[in-house]
């Protein structure tokens, strides 16, 4: 899995919140999954540390 870093500050990953939003650990910016722009074949996921990640298309690994 590849960690998604905040687009606002480019400093920290995004962590899942009880509200279902994802919040930057540094600047506090929040996004929803609808804000994600992934390439075709990529899927988003949350790792064991509750960090937003994505999985690349299987053929590109």
């Amino acid at each position: 899995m590849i960690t998604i870093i905040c687009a606002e500050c480019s400093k920290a990953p995004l962590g899942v919140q009880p509200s279902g939003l994802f919040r930057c650990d540094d600047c506090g910016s929040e996004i929803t999954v609808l804000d994600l722009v992934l390439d075709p074949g990529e899927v988003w996921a949350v790792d064991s540390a509750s960090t937003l990640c994505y999985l690349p298309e299987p053929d590109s690994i």
Side-chain angles (χ1 to χ4, degrees):
M1 286 194 277
I2 300 168
T3 301
I4 297 176
I5 301 297
C6 177
E8 294 294 320
C9 70
S10 301
K11 294 181 181 179
L14 300 161
V16 68
Q17 301 299 303
S19 65
L21 297 175
F22 296 93
R23 182 179 295 146
C24 175
D25 293 340
D26 187 66
C27 72
S29 175
E30 291 184 327
I31 67 167
T32 71
V33 294
L34 299 176
D35 296 319
L36 296 174
V37 179
L38 300 173
D39 290 334
E42 295 177 340
V43 294
W44 67 272
V46 176
D47 68 12
S48 61
S50 298
T51 302
L52 183 61
C53 301
Y54 73 94
L55 299 167
E57 183 178 5
D59 293 340
S60 68
I61 298 176

